[in-house]
Amino acid sequence: MSALPAPRHDQFEYVRCYLCGSADAMPLVIAEEDLTGKPGRFLFVTCQDCGLAYQNPRLKMERIGAYYDDEYIAHRKKTDWGPLKPLYEWAMGKHDRDKLALVDRYVSLGGHSAVLDVGCGAGTFLEEIHKHRGPSVSGVDFKDLTHLPSYAAIDFHLGLFYEQPFADRRFDLITMWHFLEHDYDPVRTLEHARDLLAPKGRLVIEVPRLDSASFRLFKERWPGLQAPQHTALYSRKTLLAMLEKSGLELVEYLPYGAFPAYFYLFAGTAFKFLKGRGLNLSKAIYPYFLGQLLLLPLLLFERKLNLAMQTVVCKVPGSP
Ligand SMILES: [Zn+2]
């Protein structure tokens, strides 16, 4: 349990739909901060004009930082797990290897290539791709974790992605692993990414999928809500519409991601029981791996079941 107080009314702001600009919206679900148990209730609405689900009101940007504390899994250091460290490192290493295997299908990278990871967190994906494919690697995040050994080869930019100029640099691969659903201005972000792509460059975006089995199962306790950090929740339809609005062309749509759908099945079940009290990840790790073993037959078909994630690969329209 955290000491952070529930946010005050004046720490929120109202926004219009990120996709179509409409203010016409209906309530979808009220979410709590289920992962760490911080207080507060957060409303997601559905745009009545285009169908995008988004948080409204949302916390002002200067207030949201407090929710990205050390409990946040993407920023978690590798050394927090005590005797379970090897198992945790294996699982996190597998996640980075799965990301690499996914992007390998769309780009062939070498020593002259350049890769940018937006929302690079602990930097381990960039470390992995640099080590095994050799490109120069750049990362952007609003949290500075450059003291970590994984950052040795990373050209790091601190701050908001769309405010990073990068001058005349172009990237063969830009990745956004669970970044876009946190973004306060997703169209601006996607347009900036489009402008930074090399001629044959690819942009790979993974986000939770709203029109998925796990959302239908868990509703207000769906881990993909991750309130208040998630500003928008994308279905296949609204994600593709946002790409089009941002001047990007779809190369392929995947009804899964590199992030394990099992995490959502496990966390959603835990959130149902905990009812907003927060999940102690160090205590949950034994049931986590046990559950994964039990569900293995189901998880072998993860890519066909539309459980929780989605990934789009896109490019500049008309480019090779
Ligand atoms: Zn809309």
Side-chain angles (χ1 to χ4, degrees), residues 16-24 46-54 238:
R16 286 172 168 264
C17 174
Y18 300 105
L19 179 53
C20 76
S22 169
D24 186 10
T46 306
C47 175
Q48 296 301 287
D49 287 305
C50 75
L52 180 73
Y54 60 103
T238 56

Side-chain angles (χ1 to χ4, degrees), residues 12-13 49 74 86 116 120 124 142 183-184 199-201 203 274 281:
F12 285 95
E13 62 188 359
D49 287 305
L116 170 66
C120 58
T124 54
F142 63 85
D183 201 313
Y184 273 53
K200 289 181 181 172
L203 169 63
L274 293 164
L281 285 169

Side-chain angles (χ1 to χ4, degrees), residues 206-241:
E206 181 182 337
V207 293
R209 182 170 176 181
L210 185 61
D211 51 333
S212 66
S214 58
F215 177 68
R216 288 193 293 277
L217 195 58
F218 299 121
K219 299 274 170 41
E220 77 282 359
R221 298 290 176 196
W222 185 50
L225 299 178
Q226 205 177 316
Q229 295 99 324
H230 284 186
T231 52
L233 312 168
Y234 296 94
S235 65
R236 174 184 171 129
K237 180 172 164 263
T238 56
L239 181 60
L240 296 184

Side-chain angles (χ1 to χ4, degrees), residues 151-167:
Y151 269 85
I154 299 175
D155 155 47
F156 178 70
H157 301 252
L158 180 70
L160 291 168
F161 167 61
Y162 47 70
E163 290 177 353
Q164 306 299 319
F166 289 108

